[in-house]
Amino acid sequence: MKMVFIKFKPDGKEYGFGVPEDYKGSAGLKSGSWVRVPVPGCRKKMLRVVVRVAETATPPEGLKMIGYSGRQIAQTANKKARRAAHQGGIIYLAKKAKAEKRAMLGGRPIDLAWEAEKAAWIEDDLDIEPYLAKGYNTDEGLPKLTELRLGMRMGFDESSYDDPTLPLHIIRKRRVHQLRDWAREQGLLPPMYYEDPVHGIDKEQLRELLIGIANGIMPDTYGLKLIKLHKCGPRVLREMRLCREAGMTGKEIRPYWALGVKKLQEVRTAFLAEKETDGGQ
């Protein structure tokens, strides 16, 4: 009979355990292998490293065996039985709904998302066909195409992240860094907090400013001097950007930025309502 010996402590005593005849991987057991052995005071068998392997003709009495305990085997069998019983039931339907959700992108079906993205490329006067031929024509490639388009419409060289095999977060990170460096060169960003502890902005404020720049809304049009933008929290900067996208000027935003997010939302809503009324007349 084959036996394995393990130590519960680095310099402790060796303890022997038997290897069942039907144990999978029995032939590959050697010093350094991991096996499940019974541990005193524990219902489940725990993984331990084998110190050595030996053969014995007469195994000692009360020899304990390696492998899964009867309790663990029963639990696994119960899980499989429950899983089989739920096919077509609540769990099955939940998994099906989750799979259907994966076929959505931004709350829209994939086919509609593709139509919207292709229309955006045409609107930005860009040719999407060469990039589809490169391998971006998959559902995973759709958000990557969006990142390429956002960089290209700013006139940037996308060669550093034009690779369909790159993960989406890497492509987005490189595009954002490219946008950040360009904005700094143009003098469109205030200093960071580590460059100017008094007037510097943090990462969340920088993120909101870069979103505005990517959409064509420059920070120097928010109604405040760049050096004072550190006084606006990220949510306030977001509302100021939305006000600019709605058509408000910096002069119209300036009196309300210090009054908080809710006030900016009210002002933007009133502006859009008045704009719609004027348009209807």
Side-chain angles (χ1 to χ4, degrees), residues 44-74:
K44 294 184 178 181
K45 293 185 177 180
M46 308 298 289
L47 282 171
R48 291 292 185 271
V49 180
V50 175
V51 176
R52 61 187 177 90
V53 181
E55 293 282 348
T56 178
T58 56
E61 294 183 4
L63 180 65
K64 296 181 180 180
M65 311 297 282
I66 66 172
Y68 285 95
S69 66
R71 177 185 176 86
Q72 286 172 294
I73 294 173

Side-chain angles (χ1 to χ4, degrees), residues 62 78 86 114 127 258 277:
N78 288 338
H86 278 81
W114 270 108
D127 186 8
T277 302

Side-chain angles (χ1 to χ4, degrees), residues 106 209 279:
L209 293 178

